[in-house]
Amino acid sequence: MISQKKIIEVKNLVKKYDDLTAVNDISFDVYEGEIFGLLGPNGAGKTTTLEIMETLREQTSGEVLVDGLSVTTQKNQVKKIIGVQLQQSGFYPNLTLFELIKLFAGLYNIETDAMEVLELVGLKEKAKAIYKTLSGGQKQRFAVATTIINKPKIVFLDEPTTGLDPQARRNLWELIQNIRDTGSTVVLTTHYMDEAEKLCDRVGIVDSGKIIQLDTPGNLIDNLLAKGFTREEKLKHASLEDVFIHLTGKDLRDE
Ligand code: ATP
């Protein structure tokens, strides 16, 4: 359930890398229980914004509050209530998934039921497999698993489905919705507009370090249509992706 409680407040955020202003005075709120998407072209400033919210980068000016805590002055408290997707290179390749989950739980200083976490992401059968033997889709699901070990209030996912086949993408969408349904808020970036349209309750469109629109996907589409926009080609009632899924089925291939 999306509440009207602001779980993240981004206020006049600026990030400069020398002469380059990557994030140029942006402000927005994320509500508790929603899936919020940051969309935008390459280099727009999405990852920079996300990593400041995650306490991984420091802003030049402005402020971000995560559940009322400042990412600048209350970093450690923020870290306890968020789940962050690590780059895949952050995993020890020769440990099993079970061992890796236990290792992360140890770093968080918490007890966790590793099998329960793996079951949530559909990797229970792979508990004894070593990380480097996983397929791309399994690695992505495992990366999501590591974000929920500490039962976070907010999960951050940077391009969680990049490079996946259609079955694995849909599977990951379900997983992300399940995470939201257990009460976490999800903030993600994606370059896939179909993904944002299906998954996100609201999206912010970032361009050149500014948020240029922020609304539900439905409202953004209606606003465009109200301006008289129509597609040049008449849309068919099925897409090539529908053909692909119809032919190859919905089941994951890398089980
Ligand atoms: P993409 O979709 O390609 O991942 P993005 O929207 O996530 O892009 P950022 O990674 O936030 O964009 O980058 C925004 C701008 O800041 C880019 O011009 C990038 O080159 C620059 N930038 C990012 N990180 C650094 C850094 N550590 N040092 C210098 N410039 C950087």
Side-chain angles (χ1 to χ4, degrees), residues 33 60 74 108 174 221 224 229 236:
T60 307
Q74 295 169 295
Y108 284 122
E174 262 176 46
I221 294 166
L224 180 65
F229 176 90
K236 292 185 180 172

Side-chain angles (χ1 to χ4, degrees), residues 129-182:
I130 60 173
Y131 176 77
K132 69 180 180 190
T133 64
L134 299 183
S135 74
Q138 289 166 340
K139 282 181 177 159
Q140 300 275 69
R141 272 187 284 155
F142 185 71
V144 174
T146 63
T147 70
I148 54 173
I149 293 172
N150 60 338
K151 301 199 169 32
K153 287 190 180 177
I154 304 132
V155 172
F156 292 97
L157 302 169
D158 200 358
E159 297 187 30
T161 67
T162 294
L164 298 185
D165 71 29
Q167 285 91 349
R169 284 180 68 215
R170 281 159 197 242
N171 177 271
L172 219 77
W173 294 351
E174 262 176 46
L175 176 57
I176 293 168
Q177 280 163 335
N178 288 344
I179 292 174
R180 190 260 317 268
D181 293 345
T182 60

Side-chain angles (χ1 to χ4, degrees), residues 17 20 22-23 40-49 57 158-159 191:
Y17 299 108
L20 175 82
V23 176
N42 290 133
K46 304 178 296 296
T47 300
T48 301
T49 304
R57 287 192 209 195
D158 200 358
E159 297 187 30
H191 285 297

